[in-house]
Amino acid sequence: LTYRQLLQDSEISEEIVLAEPSRDTVQLFTRAPAASRRHIGQMVEQVGIHDVVTGQAQYSRDARLPDMRFGAVARPAQLGAELIAWDADKARQVAGVMAVVEGPDGTPGVVASTPGAAQRGVQALACKWRQLSADQLARVQENLDIDVLIDRNELEHKPIDNGSLASGREAAQIQLNERYDTPMAAHAAMEPRAGLAHFERRDGTAQCRVWTGSQDPWLVRKAVSRALGINDERVIVYNHRIGGAFGGRLLCQASIEAAWLSQAVGEPVKVQWSREEEFACNYVGPQFSTRIEAGLDDTGNIAYWHHRMAGAPILTSSTFIPRRLHWAADLVADPGTQRGTELPYAVTNQRVEFADVRVPMPTGAWRGLGAAPNTFAVEVAMDELASAAALEPLAFRAAHARDPRLAGVLKRLAELISDEDTPPGVAATAYKGVTFVAVAASVDVSSGLPVVTKLWCVHDCGQVVSPDQVLAQIEGNLVWGIGMALTEEFKLADGTPSTLNFDTYLPPRSLDIPPMQIEMIESDAPPSGAAEAAFAPVAAAIANAVSRATGARQRRLPLQPLAAPGRRQG
């Protein structure tokens, strides 16, 4: 029921219109004296945490309905391949197969009495796919190569263009012109996605109930209604705890597949992705290719900054935008791809240009969207400028910080690492312009493989509502950053995923996690969120630490083994 329906039988009949909340309103609610607060700023046990720890929490894979069936959907081995034929009759002959269904996009699926029968039915479809040619695959790589796009003058978006690059170049005494690359990345969630749906007609009206595990159940609701051709008010979503998301569960595809399979057979259907499907068939974080040209004047100030980048769409990708609307989406700069390109440092002469190029493989949100790849390029370039001018890297950043809160976390980080014998690598960010983070990393390179030995993080997200949860969020971000820097890369061989499980895709293990010193700044500023803010600068801090330890600069992730273990590299 809506509030309006509830109020019809109530003595309350006057309609009250509230003004939009202002910054002052937020501060009014958050500035109660610390001593009087019972919850804000206090360590409070998370709701349901006992069930998680003891294995009693319910996930989407745990959802059950009486007499439910099991579904599976055909998928190409090569990403972007086009389905051209399948054999429904052979699939129907498989024991346990109840129906062969063509989905909204023309992809066939199977409904069966058991999960095994559903998988055997899909195999019996003998689907034939039109593979991408070698020329098509080569063009994909060319279209994501920043130097190729610069030569072609194909960087269509220019969100920042201030001052004069020409005058900045004239004033520059030290110049930098380097390329930085990050690979495609998988979400590697511990729980492969699953969905259960029951489509039925009640009193002549279509309705679908969906059991899912999604970061955005409203998006799932809308996607299911679109797939079934019914009003989204007739779709009821029961959301579950998620066993890992990181941007990969905005759209829970298994739930949508279960819905159209259930619509076809009129019975509840459950779809469970395998670990291999989770890696190969979910959307991935796109690769980024960046070139940064910058220079310092004779006073050590940044005279100019030219950031050019190529990546695939994230929020306007084919995963979320129907093909028929691509032309409209391509008219605007993808805000997810662009995230992290706005420099948190004061530079008069600067320009940001980028291209968000559609590619055959499904791309989408990966933790922080473009923030981590773009921050990696920015913060390694900042370190290179400081090194070239023989300036202390934290002081160099603080001198250029646009916001005093960014300068504050940089100053505090400098204090925390001041006693270290070997200066750690450092990096910073102003995440979305509202959360300020500075990270330092120390590494051991004696084995030839960089090993992170300690991480420091100073974090200012305004007033901290739940310190325990923010601390856990920061810890998770730091760990994820180790993976981005050293091991995580979603690989393709001729367009076919070759990283299909945890033996080939390597998130950090427990033994990879170093001591972490985390400090949250006490602040009266309105809460701005922890989210993935601390993740953005970690890979750059680790890369900068490796450069300090070896004398060799690496500008491509994941970082590669050193040529001569334990020795300085020229």
Side-chain angles (χ1 to χ4, degrees), residues 96-227:
V97 169
M98 304 170 60
V100 176
V101 182
E102 183 175 336
D105 63 352
T107 302
V110 169
V111 178
S113 56
T114 66
Q119 292 295 333
R120 290 190 293 273
V122 167
Q123 293 171 4
L125 288 170
C127 292
K128 295 182 180 179
W129 305 87
R130 181 179 290 112
Q131 305 283 347
L132 297 176
S133 67
D135 288 343
Q136 287 175 306
L137 292 169
R139 282 198 295 273
V140 169
Q141 288 306 309
E142 287 178 4
N143 290 338
L144 291 175
D145 187 310
I146 185 59
D147 291 327
V148 171
L149 295 183
I150 290 173
D151 289 342
R152 294 176 181 170
N153 194 27
E154 292 182 357
L155 300 176
E156 70 268 34
H157 305 301
K158 193 184 294 182
I160 298 174
D161 191 7
N162 300 326
S164 168
L165 293 182
S167 63
R169 289 190 183 96
E170 291 179 5
Q173 301 298 307
I174 295 173
Q175 296 201 33
L176 169 80
N177 188 351
E178 296 292 352
R179 172 172 170 162
Y180 307 89
D181 291 276
T182 56
M184 289 186 293
H187 299 91
M190 288 299 294
E191 178 205 15
R193 68 202 58 224
L196 171 62
H198 189 192
F199 179 91
E200 54 190 338
R201 293 188 179 275
R202 294 185 176 182
D203 300 326
T205 302
Q207 170 184 290
C208 187
R209 292 178 293 155
V210 179
W211 289 259
T212 189
S214 171
Q215 294 168 255
D216 190 343
W218 292 272
L219 182 61
V220 171
R221 181 193 195 199
K222 188 171 290 294
V224 167
S225 70
R226 187 166 54 236

Side-chain angles (χ1 to χ4, degrees), residues 28-372:
L28 175 67
F29 280 99
T30 59
R31 284 189 170 176
S36 68
R37 299 173 192 155
R38 291 182 299 153
H39 300 292
I40 290 178
Q42 307 302 316
M43 292 289 191
V44 179
E45 183 176 298
Q46 293 185 42
V47 175
I49 193 66
H50 181 270
D51 287 348
V52 173
V53 174
T54 57
Q56 299 177 71
Q58 294 294 299
Y59 296 83
S60 58
R61 293 181 85 85
D62 298 318
R64 297 284 188 275
L65 285 177
D67 301 321
M68 71 180 184
R69 310 303 180 183
F70 296 88
V73 174
R75 312 186 197 283
Q78 186 194 63
L79 298 180
E82 180 185 355
L83 182 64
I84 54 178
W86 71 89
D87 192 332
D89 291 336
K90 284 187 177 179
R92 293 188 184 101
Q93 295 171 14
V94 174
V97 169
M98 304 170 60
V100 176
V101 182
E102 183 175 336
D105 63 352
T107 302
V110 169
V111 178
S113 56
T114 66
Q119 292 295 333
R120 290 190 293 273
V122 167
Q123 293 171 4
L125 288 170
C127 292
K128 295 182 180 179
W129 305 87
R130 181 179 290 112
Q131 305 283 347
L132 297 176
S133 67
D135 288 343
Q136 287 175 306
L137 292 169
R139 282 198 295 273
V140 169
Q141 288 306 309
E142 287 178 4
N143 290 338
L144 291 175
D145 187 310
I146 185 59
D147 291 327
V148 171
L149 295 183
I150 290 173
D151 289 342
R152 294 176 181 170
N153 194 27
E154 292 182 357
L155 300 176
E156 70 268 34
H157 305 301
K158 193 184 294 182
I160 298 174
D161 191 7
N162 300 326
S164 168
L165 293 182
S167 63
R169 289 190 183 96
E170 291 179 5
Q173 301 298 307
I174 295 173
Q175 296 201 33
L176 169 80
N177 188 351
E178 296 292 352
R179 172 172 170 162
Y180 307 89
D181 291 276
T182 56
M184 289 186 293
H187 299 91
M190 288 299 294
E191 178 205 15
R193 68 202 58 224
L196 171 62
H198 189 192
F199 179 91
E200 54 190 338
R201 293 188 179 275
R202 294 185 176 182
D203 300 326
T205 302
Q207 170 184 290
C208 187
R209 292 178 293 155
V210 179
W211 289 259
T212 189
S214 171
Q215 294 168 255
D216 190 343
W218 292 272
L219 182 61
V220 171
R221 181 193 195 199
K222 188 171 290 294
V224 167
S225 70
R226 187 166 54 236
L228 302 183
I230 64 176
N231 191 295
D232 59 9
E233 292 183 358
R234 307 308 302 172
V235 178
I236 302 169
V237 175
Y238 304 95
N239 205 27
H240 291 67
R241 181 174 285 277
I242 307 169
F246 323 116
R249 294 287 179 88
L250 290 169
L251 192 68
C252 192
Q253 301 93 316
S255 304
I256 302 164
E257 293 164 352
W260 56 261
L261 289 170
S262 176
Q263 184 184 41
V265 298
E267 297 182 79
V269 175
K270 186 172 189 177
V271 174
Q272 303 175 115
W273 282 26
S274 66
R275 174 73 62 201
E276 287 71 21
E277 286 176 309
E278 183 69 25
F279 272 100
C281 305
N282 189 29
Y283 54 88
V284 298
Q287 67 190 73
F288 279 68
S289 177
T290 302
R291 181 162 290 280
I292 292 179
E293 184 185 353
L296 300 181
D297 62 22
D298 54 7
T299 66
N301 289 322
I302 301 176
Y304 73 99
W305 183 276
H306 194 185
H307 183 147
R308 290 172 287 184
M309 174 269 290
I314 293 178
L315 296 179
T316 61
S317 71
S318 302
T319 304
F320 305 108
I321 303 295
R323 187 182 299 274
R324 68 181 185 278
L325 297 179
H326 285 180
W327 67 271
D330 291 341
L331 296 176
V332 299
D334 188 294
T337 309
Q338 180 181 333
R339 185 179 295 178
T341 57
E342 184 175 358
L343 203 62
Y345 307 108
V347 180
T348 301
N349 306 306
Q350 63 169 304
R351 181 182 299 163
V352 173
E353 301 175 85
F354 76 98
D356 41 7
V357 183
R358 295 198 178 276
V359 293
M361 59 283 298
T363 59
W366 186 75
R367 197 165 202 175
L369 311 186

Side-chain angles (χ1 to χ4, degrees), residues 318-506:
S318 302
T319 304
F320 305 108
I321 303 295
R323 187 182 299 274
R324 68 181 185 278
L325 297 179
H326 285 180
W327 67 271
D330 291 341
L331 296 176
V332 299
D334 188 294
T337 309
Q338 180 181 333
R339 185 179 295 178
T341 57
E342 184 175 358
L343 203 62
Y345 307 108
V347 180
T348 301
N349 306 306
Q350 63 169 304
R351 181 182 299 163
V352 173
E353 301 175 85
F354 76 98
D356 41 7
V357 183
R358 295 198 178 276
V359 293
M361 59 283 298
T363 59
W366 186 75
R367 197 165 202 175
L369 311 186
N374 286 319
T375 300
F376 168 72
V378 167
E379 287 299 302
V380 174
M382 286 291 290
D383 225 60
E384 295 199 67
L385 287 172
S387 178
L391 299 172
E392 199 285 319
L394 284 174
F396 174 66
R397 287 171 170 83
H400 286 87
R402 287 167 42 200
D403 194 295
R405 291 170 66 187
L406 177 61
V409 295
L410 289 165
K411 179 182 178 181
R412 181 58 184 147
L413 181 66
E415 295 169 352
L416 292 180
I417 64 175
S418 60
D419 293 334
E420 294 298 310
D421 294 333
T422 302
V426 299
T429 191
Y431 185 69
K432 294 186 179 180
V434 294
T435 296
F436 305 89
V437 185
V439 172
S442 62
V443 296
D444 181 353
V445 296
S446 60
S447 69
L449 293 170
V451 175
V452 182
T453 56
K454 188 170 181 179
L455 289 170
W456 295 260
C457 179
V458 181
H459 195 280
D460 182 352
C461 60
Q463 188 175 80
V464 176
V465 175
S466 178
D468 190 48
Q469 291 193 41
V470 172
L471 179 62
Q473 190 77 4
I474 296 171
E475 290 172 340
N477 278 309
L478 298 181
V479 170
W480 192 283
I482 295 172
M484 178 182 175
L486 301 181
T487 56
E488 295 192 42
E489 180 178 6
F490 182 77
K491 296 180 181 179
L492 299 174
D494 295 327
T496 300
S498 58
T499 42
L500 296 174
N501 213 314
F502 289 123
D503 59 330
T504 49
Y505 192 89
L506 304 173

